[in-house]
Every structure is written in C-alpha cells, then in structure tokens.
C-alpha cells in the first residue's frame, strides 16, 4: 500500500474506532441506568452492536469502561459552570446545582460497580470529587458576593445537602419539589418594605 493510500485509509479507521467507542459508552451508560441487576460486557456489546474483541480494543476491561463513564459525567459537570447570558450569579449557581443533582442521582450505580471492580477506586473517586468541588467553589462565592445566596454556608455544606437529596429513592416528579425547596433555602431572604412603602 502506498503512502498516499495509507493516509486515506487510516483516518477512516480512526473514525470507525472512535464511533465504536462512543457506541460502547452509550450502550453501557443506558444499561447501567436501567437496572440494578448485573450487566455483562457481552450484553453491552450486544446493545452496542459490536464484538467482544472490539470492546477490548477500546477498553482493557470493566474497570476502565466504568472509569471512562464516570469521567465523562464529571467532565460534563465541570464544563457546565459560568454565567450564562442573562443569568445572575445566583441563577447560574442554581442551574449548576440542578445539573450536579442529576449527576449525583445517576452516578451511584457506576460508583458501586467501580468500587467492586477496582482496588484503587478510592483515590480515583476522591480526585474527581475534588475537581467538582473546585468547580463549584467560585460559583457559590460569586452568588454570595452578589447577596443572592446566604453567606453562612460553605460549598462543602451545599454539596452535602444536594448529595443527601440525590440518594433518596424516587422519580423526578417526587424529588423535584424537594430539590426546589433546598435551592430556595439557599437564597437570602428579602427585607420587608419599610413603613409607608
């Protein structure tokens, strides 16, 4: 095969490999979210429409696949913050905490499986928890500086409350008003209007 032919073929192979990797991750994410029952790698392959050798070319085994799923979700949470157009710091924090809640609600299954499958899951999870914490800290500080959020809470306390709520069983209709109550409780209370207002 000539050099020019290789240049044409290899990008196609890389694109196909990346496509297979995404199919495997999507299938695994859906499988782990659907049930607490054990999910085999063979079942993930079946859902993704790939062979076992294809899975092992992309992931060395179950621990690496689980780590990748977790890292994707962490990246999604850490890439989300920042003021959005037309949002105040308090509204931006509110939107980010809602995103965090979704992440925390669905990560438990992957975390438990990762702990079972990997001896060094603890340090890995701790490092990524610190990444999320570092992302959240300036959001809370900005919301407190704008006096939209009460100043007597640390980011650790806020995230512990969101985490505690995320562990409660129930569907979104059941949990939504509880999350709203928690977020409302973070806000500063408006002073009542003075006499003769």
């Amino acid at each position: 095969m000539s050099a020019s032919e290789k240049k044409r073929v290899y990008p196609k192979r890389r694109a196909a490999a990346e496509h297979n990797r995404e199919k495997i991750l999507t299938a695994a994410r859906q499988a782990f979210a659907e049930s607490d029952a054990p999910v085999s790698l063979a079942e993930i392959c079946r859902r993704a429409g790939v062979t076992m050798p294809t899975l092992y070319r992309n992931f060395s085994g179950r621990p690496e696949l689980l780590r990748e799923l977790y890292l994707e979700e962490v990246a999604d949470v850490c890439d989300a913050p920042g003021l959005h157009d037309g949002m105040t710091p308090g509204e931006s924090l509110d939107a980010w905490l809602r995103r965090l809640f979704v992440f925390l609600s669905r990560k438990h299954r992957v975390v438990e499986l990762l702990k079972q499958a990997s001896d060094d899951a603890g340090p890995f999870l701790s490092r990524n928890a610190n990444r999320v914490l570092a992302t959240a800290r300036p959001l809370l500080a900005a919301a407190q500086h704008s006096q939209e959020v009460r100043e007597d809470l640390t980011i650790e306390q806020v995230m512990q409350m969101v985490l505690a709520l995320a562990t409660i069983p129930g569907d979104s209709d059941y949990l939504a008003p509880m999350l709203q109550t928690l977020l409302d409780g973070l806000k500063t209370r408006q002073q009542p209007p003075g006499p003769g207002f």
Side-chain angles (χ1 to χ4, degrees):
M1 182 181 293
S2 70
S4 61
E5 287 174 325
K6 287 180 180 178
K7 287 181 181 178
R8 288 196 299 270
V9 172
Y10 290 165
K12 290 180 182 178
R13 288 180 183 171
R14 285 195 294 270
E18 186 61 30
H19 181 62
N20 284 335
R21 184 181 178 85
E22 287 305 314
K23 287 198 301 182
I24 293 166
L25 287 170
T26 299
R29 191 180 304 109
Q30 292 172 345
F32 291 135
E34 286 175 6
S35 171
D36 288 337
V39 179
S40 68
L41 293 181
E43 171 62 12
I44 292 170
C45 286
R46 185 192 69 76
R47 289 174 177 238
V50 302
T51 63
M52 287 291 284
T54 298
L55 185 145
Y56 281 112
R57 277 196 298 272
N58 286 277
F59 305 97
S60 61
R62 181 181 292 268
E64 187 185 351
L65 176 59
L66 291 166
R67 283 171 183 260
E68 188 65 26
L69 286 173
Y70 188 80
L71 285 173
E72 273 196 349
E73 299 225 354
V74 169
D76 187 49
V77 170
C78 291
D79 289 343
L83 285 174
H84 302 285
D85 290 342
M87 277 193 177
T88 67
E91 291 167 343
S92 187
L93 175 67
D94 186 288
W96 187 82
L97 288 174
R98 291 177 188 277
R99 193 163 192 159
L100 176 69
F101 175 76
V102 172
F103 162 67
L104 294 173
S105 298
R106 64 188 182 199
K107 85 177 178 81
H108 297 297
R109 175 88 167 121
V110 171
V111 167
E112 283 305 310
L113 291 170
L114 189 54
K115 287 178 179 177
Q116 294 168 18
S118 177
D119 293 334
D120 63 342
F124 169 79
L125 294 170
S126 180
R127 283 194 305 274
N128 284 286
N130 287 335
R131 282 178 60 197
V132 176
L133 198 62
T135 298
R137 198 177 304 281
L139 290 174
L140 177 63
Q144 289 174 329
H145 182 73
S146 68
Q147 299 185 333
E148 295 174 83
V149 170
R150 51 192 296 173
E151 296 183 350
D152 59 343
L153 290 169
T154 66
I155 191 57
E156 289 83 2
Q157 290 172 313
V158 172
M159 291 183 69
Q160 282 293 330
M161 288 190 291
V162 176
L163 174 60
L165 181 57
T167 62
I168 297 174
D171 60 20
S172 58
D173 288 341
Y174 179 74
L175 294 173
M178 299 167 72
L179 176 61
Q180 186 62 57
T181 301
L182 188 158
L183 295 175
D184 287 345
L186 300 180
K187 298 172 184 175
T188 53
R189 297 188 181 278
Q190 297 296 320
Q191 295 296 320
F197 179 77

